[in-house]
Amino acid sequence: MTDRPTILLDLSADLAEGLFDAALRDRLAAVGAVAHTGGSGDPAARRAADILVTGWGTPPLPGRRADAGRLGLVVHSAGTVRRLVPRSLVEDGVRVSHAAAGMARAVAELALWFTLGGLRSLPATDRTMHRDRDWHAAAPSALGATVAGTRVGVVGASRVGRVYIELVRALGATVAVHDPYLPPEEAARLGATPTGLDELLRTCPVVALHAPVTDETRGMIDAARLALVPDGGLLVNTARSALIDTPALVAELRSGRISAALDVFDTEPLPRDDPLWSLPNVTLTPHLGAVTHHSRRTQGTIVVEEVERWVRGAALEHEITAATYDRLA
């Protein structure tokens, strides 16, 4: 590392503006010489950088350390880095960090909104009110439920999952959690009961998915497991669509037996002919879980703090190591 490192912002101008206000830009400039690529992934600029700040849409890095030039630190302003930073670079000593923690609250709040609305059939009620302008036609056909007194199942005690647990517990929910990597004492601290996946699906009228997509979790909510969800149950997914067998979910939704709230899809944007558009018992949002002004600034703050730590030789707070890389989404 040079005395005054080069900090390359390899992300779009719009994203950089959303992440870094004037105060954060000043903090970056105080510790290094800041350069920009506009998200082009310019190889020469990358090789000349000591620190690379990346974001959504940034082109992947080369797999060989020899092609990375002076690069010592990559700070990703979003979540998983698996599509961006090859594992070989981590193994070869390039330090890697990310700002996933900055998005957790926003995504968890969307999952909470899905939960509150789904328990009272509010999205469908709102659509009927606007379409028919008929007070009585819009009234739900069955009584709703409150979060208080509801058993909520959480699949994945990720950063988002932990915030979601905190939120629903604060409203009085009883929480079951399935996460094979969650120590029992940590589950106890969260106030959640460790539960096998099948048992969780059988016993929870609300199931919220907060797990990463890995070889272990891909397609784990299949037709057999969807059939375990109680009649009238609600499936909330703000994580990744690959956790679910989507055709099996569509079949369950068509039956009317359960409902769902989805922010993530197999193909994004969602194709205009996708069957999900026509189903009245599914709430759809366009992958906007982390899209808030607050989360952007929090992500930017995390990036700046990690850069500052690296420059002064302190431990990184959000580092991704070779040991944790394989558990990323």
Side-chain angles (χ1 to χ4, degrees):
M1 184 186 73
T2 60
D3 291 337
R4 184 167 174 76
T6 297
I7 304 167
L8 182 64
L9 305 185
D10 195 4
L11 34 75
S12 71
D14 287 345
L15 180 56
E17 183 177 352
L19 292 167
F20 308 115
D21 60 13
L24 290 175
R25 288 174 182 269
D26 287 346
R27 286 171 63 180
L28 283 177
V31 296
V34 180
H36 305 261
T37 69
S40 67
D42 179 70
R46 284 179 164 187
R47 284 193 296 270
D50 300 290
I51 300 167
L52 185 67
V53 177
T54 60
W56 292 292
T58 300
L61 285 153
R64 297 194 312 159
R65 182 68 183 86
D67 295 327
R70 299 203 316 242
L71 188 62
L73 173 68
V74 178
V75 187
H76 188 46
S77 62
T80 183
V81 300
R82 289 190 71 163
R83 67 150 197 91
L84 179 71
V85 182
R87 194 181 198 280
S88 56
L89 284 187
V90 181
E91 293 171 340
D92 287 344
V94 175
R95 306 282 295 281
V96 179
S97 185
H98 63 162
M103 302 184 292
R105 183 81 188 190
V107 179
E109 286 188 2
L110 178 63
L112 175 64
W113 183 88
F114 278 160
T115 302
L116 292 166
L119 286 172
R120 300 287 296 275
S121 300
L122 297 183
T125 299
D126 174 73
R127 288 194 294 269
T128 304
M129 287 281 281
H130 279 90
R131 184 189 66 231
D132 298 340
R133 302 186 183 187
D134 186 323
W135 182 279
H136 298 289
S141 59
L143 291 176
T146 58
V147 175
T150 295
R151 179 174 167 85
V152 174
V154 177
V155 181
S158 59
R159 292 177 181 84
V160 177
R162 291 171 187 235
V163 178
Y164 177 80
I165 290 170
E166 173 192 339
L167 293 174
V168 294
R169 285 196 68 241
L171 293 176
T174 300
V175 178
V177 62
H178 173 74
D179 189 325
Y181 297 100
L182 181 68
E185 60 272 17
E186 183 65 11
R189 189 191 68 77
L190 292 169
T193 302
T195 308
L197 180 56
D198 289 356
E199 178 67 13
L200 182 150
L201 293 168
R202 271 194 296 266
T203 60
C204 294
V206 175
V207 176
L209 304 183
H210 296 296
V213 175
T214 65
D215 290 341
E216 296 175 273
T217 63
R218 187 178 299 276
M220 67 178 175
I221 308 299
D222 56 13
R225 283 183 164 144
L226 285 167
L228 298 175
V229 177
D231 290 353
L234 169 67
L235 181 68
V236 172
N237 191 9
T238 56
R240 287 291 184 267
S241 66
L243 298 170
I244 307 174
D245 178 338
T246 298
L249 175 61
V250 169
E252 282 285 2
L253 292 171
R254 279 177 170 156
S255 77
R257 196 182 67 79
I258 65 172
S259 61
L262 308 174
D263 187 47
V264 288
F265 308 93
D266 292 345
T267 301
E268 296 182 358
L270 190 64
R272 294 180 65 86
D273 61 351
D274 194 284
L276 288 169
W277 289 112
S278 63
L279 296 172
N281 52 338
V282 58
T283 300
L284 309 174
T285 54
H287 205 152
L288 51 68
V291 184
T292 73
H293 293 297
H294 296 99
S295 59
R296 285 287 192 273
R297 284 292 186 258
T298 303
Q299 291 164 247
T301 300
I302 289 172
V303 168
V304 173
E305 289 174 346
E306 290 291 77
V307 169
E308 291 171 335
R309 291 184 184 102
W310 187 79
V311 170
R312 67 174 186 265
L316 299 177
E317 188 171 320
H318 303 279
E319 185 165 14
I320 296 165
T321 65
T324 59
Y325 186 95
D326 293 336
R327 290 173 57 186
L328 295 171

